[in-house]
Coordinates of all heavy atoms in Angstrom, one line a residue:
N259 N -7.2 -22.5 -13.8 CA -8.2 -22.0 -14.7 C -8.6 -23.0 -15.8 O -9.7 -23.1 -16.2 CB -7.8 -20.7 -15.4 CG -8.2 -19.5 -14.5 OD1 -9.3 -19.4 -14.0 ND2 -7.2 -18.6 -14.3
A260 N -7.6 -23.8 -16.3 CA -7.9 -24.8 -17.3 C -8.8 -25.9 -16.7 O -9.7 -26.3 -17.4 CB -6.6 -25.4 -17.8
R261 N -8.6 -26.2 -15.5 CA -9.5 -27.3 -14.8 C -10.9 -26.7 -14.6 O -11.9 -27.4 -14.8 CB -8.9 -27.7 -13.5 CG -7.6 -28.5 -13.7 CD -7.2 -29.2 -12.4 NE -6.9 -28.3 -11.3 CZ -5.7 -27.8 -11.0 NH1 -4.7 -28.0 -11.8 NH2 -5.5 -27.0 -10.0
L262 N -10.9 -25.4 -14.2 CA -12.3 -24.8 -14.0 C -13.0 -24.7 -15.3 O -14.2 -24.9 -15.3 CB -12.1 -23.5 -13.3 CG -11.5 -23.4 -11.9 CD1 -11.4 -22.0 -11.4 CD2 -12.4 -24.2 -10.9
A263 N -12.3 -24.3 -16.3 CA -13.0 -24.2 -17.6 C -13.4 -25.5 -18.2 O -14.5 -25.6 -18.8 CB -12.0 -23.5 -18.6
A264 N -12.7 -26.6 -17.9 CA -13.1 -27.9 -18.3 C -14.4 -28.3 -17.5 O -15.2 -29.1 -18.1 CB -12.0 -28.9 -18.0
A265 N -14.5 -27.9 -16.3 CA -15.7 -28.2 -15.5 C -16.9 -27.5 -16.0 O -18.1 -27.8 -15.7 CB -15.5 -28.0 -14.1
L266 N -16.7 -26.4 -16.8 CA -17.8 -25.5 -17.2 C -18.8 -26.3 -18.0 O -20.1 -26.1 -17.8 CB -17.3 -24.4 -18.0 CG -18.3 -23.4 -18.6 CD1 -19.0 -22.6 -17.5 CD2 -17.6 -22.4 -19.6
H267 N -18.4 -27.2 -18.9 CA -19.3 -27.9 -19.8 C -19.4 -29.4 -19.4 O -19.9 -30.2 -20.2 CB -18.8 -27.8 -21.2 CG -18.8 -26.3 -21.7 ND1 -19.9 -25.6 -22.0 CD2 -17.7 -25.5 -21.9 CE1 -19.6 -24.4 -22.4 NE2 -18.2 -24.3 -22.3
D268 N -18.9 -29.7 -18.2 CA -19.0 -31.1 -17.8 C -19.7 -31.2 -16.4 O -19.0 -31.2 -15.4 CB -17.6 -31.7 -17.7 CG -17.6 -33.2 -17.4 OD1 -18.7 -33.8 -17.3 OD2 -16.5 -33.8 -17.2
P269 N -21.0 -31.4 -16.4 CA -21.7 -31.5 -15.1 C -21.2 -32.6 -14.3 O -21.5 -32.6 -13.1 CB -23.2 -31.7 -15.6 CG -23.2 -31.2 -17.0 CD -21.9 -31.5 -17.6
G270 N -20.6 -33.6 -14.9 CA -20.2 -34.8 -14.1 C -18.8 -34.6 -13.4 O -18.3 -35.5 -12.8
T271 N -18.2 -33.4 -13.5 CA -17.0 -33.1 -12.8 C -17.2 -33.3 -11.3 O -18.1 -32.7 -10.7 CB -16.5 -31.7 -13.1 OG1 -16.3 -31.5 -14.5 CG2 -15.2 -31.4 -12.4
P272 N -16.4 -34.2 -10.7 CA -16.6 -34.4 -9.3 C -16.1 -33.2 -8.4 O -15.4 -32.4 -8.9 CB -15.7 -35.6 -9.0 CG -14.6 -35.5 -10.1 CD -15.2 -35.0 -11.3
P273 N -16.7 -33.2 -7.2 CA -16.2 -32.1 -6.3 C -14.7 -32.1 -6.1 O -14.1 -33.2 -6.0 CB -17.0 -32.4 -5.0 CG -18.2 -33.2 -5.4 CD -17.7 -34.0 -6.6
N274 N -14.1 -31.0 -6.0 CA -12.7 -30.9 -5.7 C -12.4 -29.6 -4.9 O -12.2 -28.5 -5.4 CB -11.9 -30.8 -7.1 CG -10.4 -30.7 -6.9 OD1 -9.9 -30.7 -5.8 ND2 -9.7 -30.7 -8.0
P275 N -12.5 -29.8 -3.5 CA -12.3 -28.6 -2.7 C -11.0 -27.9 -2.9 O -10.9 -26.7 -2.7 CB -12.4 -29.2 -1.3 CG -13.2 -30.5 -1.4 CD -12.8 -31.0 -2.8
R276 N -10.0 -28.6 -3.3 CA -8.7 -28.0 -3.6 C -8.8 -26.9 -4.6 O -8.2 -25.9 -4.6 CB -7.7 -29.1 -4.1 CG -6.3 -28.6 -4.4 CD -5.5 -29.8 -4.8 NE -4.1 -29.5 -5.0 CZ -3.6 -29.1 -6.2 NH1 -4.4 -28.9 -7.2 NH2 -2.3 -28.7 -6.3
D277 N -9.7 -27.1 -5.6 CA -9.9 -26.1 -6.7 C -11.1 -25.2 -6.3 O -11.5 -24.3 -7.2 CB -10.2 -26.7 -8.0 CG -9.0 -27.4 -8.6 OD1 -7.9 -27.2 -8.1 OD2 -9.1 -28.2 -9.6
G278 N -11.7 -25.3 -5.2 CA -12.8 -24.5 -4.8 C -14.2 -25.1 -5.2 O -15.2 -24.5 -5.1
L279 N -14.1 -26.3 -5.8 CA -15.4 -26.9 -6.3 C -16.0 -27.8 -5.3 O -15.5 -28.9 -5.1 CB -15.1 -27.7 -7.6 CG -14.5 -26.9 -8.8 CD1 -14.1 -27.8 -10.0 CD2 -15.6 -25.9 -9.2
S280 N -17.0 -27.3 -4.6 CA -17.7 -28.1 -3.6 C -19.2 -28.1 -3.8 O -19.7 -27.3 -4.6 CB -17.4 -27.5 -2.2 OG -16.0 -27.4 -1.9
G281 N -19.9 -28.9 -3.1 CA -21.4 -29.0 -3.3 C -21.8 -29.7 -4.5 O -21.1 -30.4 -5.2
G282 N -23.1 -29.5 -4.9 CA -23.7 -30.1 -6.0 C -23.3 -29.5 -7.4 O -22.5 -28.5 -7.4
P283 N -23.7 -30.0 -8.5 CA -23.4 -29.5 -9.8 C -23.7 -28.0 -9.9 O -22.9 -27.2 -10.5 CB -24.2 -30.3 -10.8 CG -24.5 -31.6 -10.0 CD -24.6 -31.2 -8.6
Q284 N -24.8 -27.5 -9.4 CA -25.2 -26.1 -9.5 C -24.2 -25.2 -8.8 O -23.8 -24.2 -9.3 CB -26.6 -25.8 -9.0 CG -27.1 -24.4 -9.2 CD -27.6 -24.1 -10.6 OE1 -27.4 -24.9 -11.5 NE2 -28.3 -23.0 -10.8

Side-chain angles (χ1 to χ4, degrees):
N259 272 318
R261 294 193 296 272
L262 294 177
L266 178 67
H267 301 288
D268 184 5
T271 300
N274 183 357
R276 182 176 183 271
D277 290 350
L279 296 175
S280 303
Q284 183 79 350

